Each structure stands twice: as structure tokens, then as C-alpha cells.
Amino acid sequence: MMQRHSRIYIAGHRGLVGAALYRYLSQQGYTCLLTTPRAELDLRWEPAVRDWFDQHQPEYVFLAAAKVGGILANATYPVDFLQDNLQIQTNIIYHSYRTGVKKLLFLGSSCIYPKFAPQPIKEEYLLTGALEPTNEWYAIAKISGIKLCQAYRQQYGWSAICAMPTNLYGIGDHFDLKTSHVLPALLRKFHEAKIRQEPSVTVWGTGTPRREFLYVDDLADACVFLMQHYDAAEIINVGTGTDLSIGELAHLIQKITEYAGEIIYDSSKPDGTPRKLLDVSRLHGLGWQARTPLALGIQKTYEWYVTYAQGNP
Ligand code: GDP
């Protein structure tokens, strides 16, 4: 079991997930949290990762470092999404194993599942159909990461586990309209339209795709729960178990940001996967459930955005 004094490496501690893990573990009294500033360690560069592990010798690793982004970013930077992620995860998994890390948790994504997977999506649907083309670069990299963890467990009996979070949002999110995911993008669009008194906000696509959203602090809680209570080859979904349409999300954000104008749908922009809802019965069976209702999580994220994030996409 991870102890309060264990040496815990959070790879990607400046990202949405890594930062939430850092906050959560600190609050819980874990005192030896290891991080690597990006300027000092390029996780894509194997010799540097090797040196870092030799020097710091972590006991537990949360692998939350990845090149991430929304539907447009994936289409614009396919090499980064495939190659950077393959390099980062392979380096960290290999050197964790090599230096005797006791357990590693690899963070995947719900986009690893087939585009037309039955809903809600069970863990066993992995690799049963074609992927959604708009994010297959990222998905292929993440699937490789899962397989590498499973291969290490099978060949060497090493404790690598894989959590598959649904769409995430929360404090520390990215609000750049070109690269961000839908929830922060809409928060920013509605907020700016309110401030500038614009008559309408444009939402991409038809508004009909359905998505599930998990508050990132809940994910951090789930990751620590899994690190402590789960040790098996099978991947495990982390979500809320409920979804809503992009149109419903837009209306909710319109209400939270108190924007009085109209919503316009731009159907020339892609919809992506029609629905993405995870089956979380395996995680519920272990005794974990998400706590933060969507409206509350969005409210907290909005307050954070207004206070800290404006002007820093
Ligand atoms: P996905 O979940 O991997 O498809 O990624 P996104 O979060 O980027 O997009 C989810 C859905 O929201 C897609 O149907 C988008 O077309 C739609 N959407 C609507 N407005 C926006 C927006 O302003 N930004 C983004 N990224 N997506 C939007």
C-alpha cells in the first residue's frame, strides 16, 4: 500500500489531471511528491528519463503526462498526438519497471473505445471495432500504453494498472478555443459573449452528440483509490455513469455564466463520436463513486476561470 511517506511521482503535474492529483495527494497528507518541470526534463527523451529515474527512485508512479487536446487539435497535430505520447509513456513505463517502482497507474481515455461501441461502454469493448477518426492518433497511442502495461504484468508480474477516465473538466483546464475540449471552450465563449454583449454564441456541430463529464478532482480521488485497492490487468473505466447532449451542456453553461443571448449551431464543424458514456459498474463494484454534480463542478471551474485563467489560455 502507498504510505503517506512513500515516494510518489506524478508525471505531468502541470496538466489538468496531474495538477489535480498533486492537490489531492497533498491534501491527503502525502509528503513525498516528486515532479519534473518540463523545462528540466523532456519526457520524450529516453536518456533524460533514464537519468531522472536513477536519481529519484520513485516507489509509485501516476502516469498523467501526455499531449492532449480537443477535436481540432488532434486533426492539426497528428504526429504530436501519436509520437509524443508513445515516447512519453514508453519511457516512463520502462524506467519505472527497471528501477523497481512498486506500482504504476497509467491514465488512458474513453476515446480508446470503438466509435460505434454499444453504450454505456464496457471495458471489454476495447479493440472490438474501428476508432473515431478525429482522435485516432491519440487513441492508438493510449491503446499501446495499455497493452504495454498488460505486457509487463504478463511477462514480469509487474503491478501496472490502467484507468480510463471519461471527458474531464475542472480547475487547471485549458481555455484556448482552438485546442481545448468542449466544456472549457463553451465556458469561455459564453463568458466572453456576456462581457462583450454579443447577440449569440456559436457551438460547433449539431449539438446532438452526447458526452459524459467528470470533475477532475473526482478523478484524482478515483486514481488514489485504484492505486490502493485495485491490482489487475483489466482496464477500469472512471466516470459518473450519466451523460448529456452538447446542446444540453450549452444551455447549462449559458445559465451558469448568466448569458442572455442566443445559441447558434455550426454544423460545418465535426460532431465526432455520436455518444460516449462509460459503463462504470466495475468501479462502483469496488466501492467508488463520483461525488461532484455537473452543475457544481462547472460553477467551480467557472469561478476559477474568471479569477485565475482569463488571458492565460
Ligand atoms: P471529443 O469528446 O473527443 O469529441 O472532443 P471535444 O470535447 O473537442 O468535442 C466534443 C463535442 O463538442 C464535439 O461534438 C464538438 O463538435 C462539440 N463542440 C461544440 N462546441 C465546441 C467548441 O467550442 N469546442 C470544442 N472543442 N468542441 C465543441
Side-chain angles (χ1 to χ4, degrees):
M1 287 284 267
M2 211 163 55
Q3 307 292 326
R4 295 291 189 270
H5 55 79
S6 298
R7 297 173 64 76
I8 302 167
Y9 175 38
I10 304 167
H13 73 290
R14 300 294 302 275
L16 177 63
V17 175
L21 272 165
Y22 193 94
R23 280 197 301 277
Y24 182 83
L25 287 163
S26 312
Q27 279 160 12
Q28 297 288 310
Y30 290 88
T31 52
C32 197
L33 304 181
L34 309 172
T35 57
T36 54
R38 189 174 295 190
E40 284 168 33
L41 175 61
D42 182 344
L43 293 169
R44 297 170 299 183
W45 179 234
E46 193 269 335
V49 176
R50 169 184 292 271
D51 287 349
W52 188 89
F53 272 85
D54 283 339
Q55 225 180 330
H56 294 88
Q57 302 276 331
E59 296 169 276
Y60 295 88
V61 172
F62 290 94
L63 207 179
K67 167 86 183 168
V68 298
I71 202 160
L72 186 63
N74 257 269
T76 318
Y77 307 108
V79 175
D80 299 7
F81 278 88
L82 182 56
Q83 183 171 284
D84 289 10
N85 284 324
L86 285 171
Q87 289 173 327
I88 291 168
Q89 70 203 25
T90 306
N91 290 341
I92 294 178
I93 291 169
Y94 168 56
H95 289 295
S96 293
Y97 170 71
R98 184 184 63 79
T99 57
V101 164
K102 292 176 185 159
K103 195 169 182 179
L104 175 143
L105 183 145
F106 175 69
L107 278 143
S109 154
S110 57
C111 72
I112 57 157
Y113 291 113
K115 173 169 184 164
F116 295 113
Q119 307 283 325
I121 308 170
K122 290 183 191 300
E123 287 87 349
E124 55 262 35
Y125 299 162
L126 179 63
L127 294 174
T128 56
L131 298 166
E132 157 60 39
T134 53
N135 55 28
E136 71 176 346
W137 317 103
Y138 180 74
I140 295 273
K142 287 290 179 187
I143 293 170
S144 304
I146 293 168
K147 287 291 158 193
L148 191 57
C149 289
Q150 293 174 339
Y152 269 99
R153 181 179 289 274
Q154 185 174 318
Q155 193 170 336
Y156 300 119
W158 186 50
S159 286
I161 58 172
C162 303
M164 297 306 118
T166 191
N167 289 26
L168 301 167
Y169 72 100
I171 289 164
D173 213 337
H174 299 283
F175 292 84
D176 179 334
L177 293 180
K178 288 203 194 69
T179 53
S180 67
H181 284 278
V182 60
L183 198 152
L186 293 187
L187 266 180
R188 176 171 177 173
K189 283 185 183 175
F190 278 98
H191 177 72
E192 289 182 349
K194 180 177 78 171
I195 301 297
R196 296 173 190 161
Q197 298 187 328
E198 285 165 358
S200 63
V201 164
T202 303
V203 173
W204 296 353
T206 58
T208 56
R210 299 185 69 84
R211 294 288 184 276
E212 174 188 16
F213 298 95
L214 178 68
Y215 192 52
V216 73
D217 292 56
D218 284 358
L219 174 68
D221 181 42
C223 288
V224 174
F225 175 85
L226 289 170
M227 194 63 122
Q228 299 294 47
H229 302 289
Y230 185 72
D231 194 11
E234 291 80 37
I235 62 176
I236 187 151
N237 289 339
V238 186
T240 61
T242 50
D243 64 354
L244 78 174
S245 72
I246 297 300
E248 287 165 337
L249 176 73
H251 281 105
L252 181 57
I253 293 180
Q254 181 184 33
K255 204 170 122 200
I256 289 170
T257 54
E258 297 173 342
Y259 172 67
E262 241 190 295
I263 298 175
I264 292 173
Y265 292 96
D266 175 4
S267 51
S268 72
K269 291 281 194 309
D271 267 345
T273 299
R275 191 174 185 208
K276 215 163 34 170
L277 173 64
L278 296 181
D279 184 317
V280 285
S281 31
R282 186 176 282 171
L283 186 58
H284 284 182
L286 291 173
W288 188 90
Q289 298 218 8
R291 268 182 272 207
T292 311
L294 183 61
L296 177 65
I298 295 178
Q299 182 68 44
K300 286 184 177 177
T301 308
Y302 184 46
E303 282 162 18
W304 180 82
Y305 171 69
V306 170
T307 316
Y308 299 106
Q310 283 185 85
N312 303 308

